[in-house]
Amino acid sequence: LKATNKAAKEAKKKELHEKELAAEWKKGANNRGAERSAATAQKADEQARKKAEKAALLAAEDAANEGASSSKVRKALAPKSKKKKPQNSLSLLEETLVGDADKKVKAAKRAERLKKESEERARLERERKKAEASKANGDPLLSNTDTMIGNSLDFDGELNADINKQIDASGIDSAI
């Protein structure tokens, strides 16, 4: 009984030590890169397997046809070319028209976006000029005071008016 308990404890310690060791190794490892390269290798293997299956099926089909050339097998195994096949003039015209229409739509959207941006800039400029003009028309000392206190007090042009009438004052101001 003691021996089995001791063996179980040692197994737990060993398992815990292996987990810690794996965690330490994982810190410095390039796991993402390794996973990515493994995924690309697996994808390439899958493509090669599919190509081999296709070639085998075509070979079986050729064998069933007996006497047919093995050009299908060669075509299946040959890499696909990147060149575009020659097209007739109607498909070229259609492709050009679609491309032109897309360009027109993109240009219209871009022009609309630029127009909105310029209108927004003009509106902000008008607001800025309006604010500067209102500051220039007022008393410079009052405008400085307003900017310091954040325009929280508005005296409606009456500089010497009783503040208690305009705002709710508390403490000594309301007592007087």
Side-chain angles (χ1 to χ4, degrees), residues 126-169:
R126 282 193 305 270
E127 287 178 2
R128 187 183 60 80
K129 286 182 179 178
K130 187 177 180 182
E132 286 177 1
S134 68
K135 284 183 182 179
N137 292 340
D139 184 17
L141 294 175
L142 182 61
S143 65
N144 286 341
T145 305
D146 284 345
T147 56
M148 286 191 307
I149 60 175
N151 296 328
S152 61
L153 300 176
D154 187 14
F155 296 111
D156 296 328
E158 298 178 17
L159 296 177
N160 294 327
D162 189 11
I163 294 176
N164 290 333
K165 293 179 184 176
Q166 307 240 343
I167 60 172
D168 290 335

Side-chain angles (χ1 to χ4, degrees), residues 47 51 75 78-87 95:
Q47 287 177 346
K51 198 175 225 183
K75 284 183 182 177
K80 294 182 180 179
S81 67
K82 301 287 181 184
K83 295 180 183 177
K84 286 188 174 182
K85 295 180 181 176
Q87 299 174 339
E95 196 174 293

Side-chain angles (χ1 to χ4, degrees), residues 86-104:
Q87 299 174 339
N88 60 17
S89 60
L90 182 61
S91 64
L92 288 174
L93 177 64
E94 184 178 300
E95 196 174 293
T96 304
L97 291 174
V98 169
D100 288 346
D102 288 343
K103 287 179 184 175
K104 285 181 182 178

Side-chain angles (χ1 to χ4, degrees), residues 19-143:
K19 283 183 182 179
E20 289 175 357
L21 189 62
E24 283 295 317
W25 278 104
K26 193 173 187 178
K27 285 181 184 176
N30 185 4
N31 291 332
R32 282 189 189 167
E35 288 174 4
R36 215 176 301 126
S37 62
T40 54
Q42 183 180 6
K43 194 173 186 180
D45 290 343
E46 185 69 21
Q47 287 177 346
R49 184 188 60 79
K50 285 182 180 181
K51 198 175 225 183
E53 285 179 6
K54 186 175 182 181
L57 288 173
L58 287 174
E61 184 181 324
D62 281 348
N65 288 341
E66 287 183 282
S69 68
S70 63
S71 64
K72 289 183 179 179
V73 174
R74 275 186 261 125
K75 284 183 182 177
L77 294 176
K80 294 182 180 179
S81 67
K82 301 287 181 184
K83 295 180 183 177
K84 286 188 174 182
K85 295 180 181 176
Q87 299 174 339
N88 60 17
S89 60
L90 182 61
S91 64
L92 288 174
L93 177 64
E94 184 178 300
E95 196 174 293
T96 304
L97 291 174
V98 169
D100 288 346
D102 288 343
K103 287 179 184 175
K104 285 181 182 178
V105 168
K106 286 181 182 178
K109 286 183 180 179
R110 184 174 184 271
E112 184 179 337
R113 181 176 46 86
L114 290 174
K115 183 179 176 184
K116 284 182 181 178
E117 288 176 357
S118 65
E119 287 175 355
E120 181 67 19
R121 278 192 300 251
R123 183 185 63 80
L124 291 174
E125 183 66 22
R126 282 193 305 270
E127 287 178 2
R128 187 183 60 80
K129 286 182 179 178
K130 187 177 180 182
E132 286 177 1
S134 68
K135 284 183 182 179
N137 292 340
D139 184 17
L141 294 175
L142 182 61
S143 65

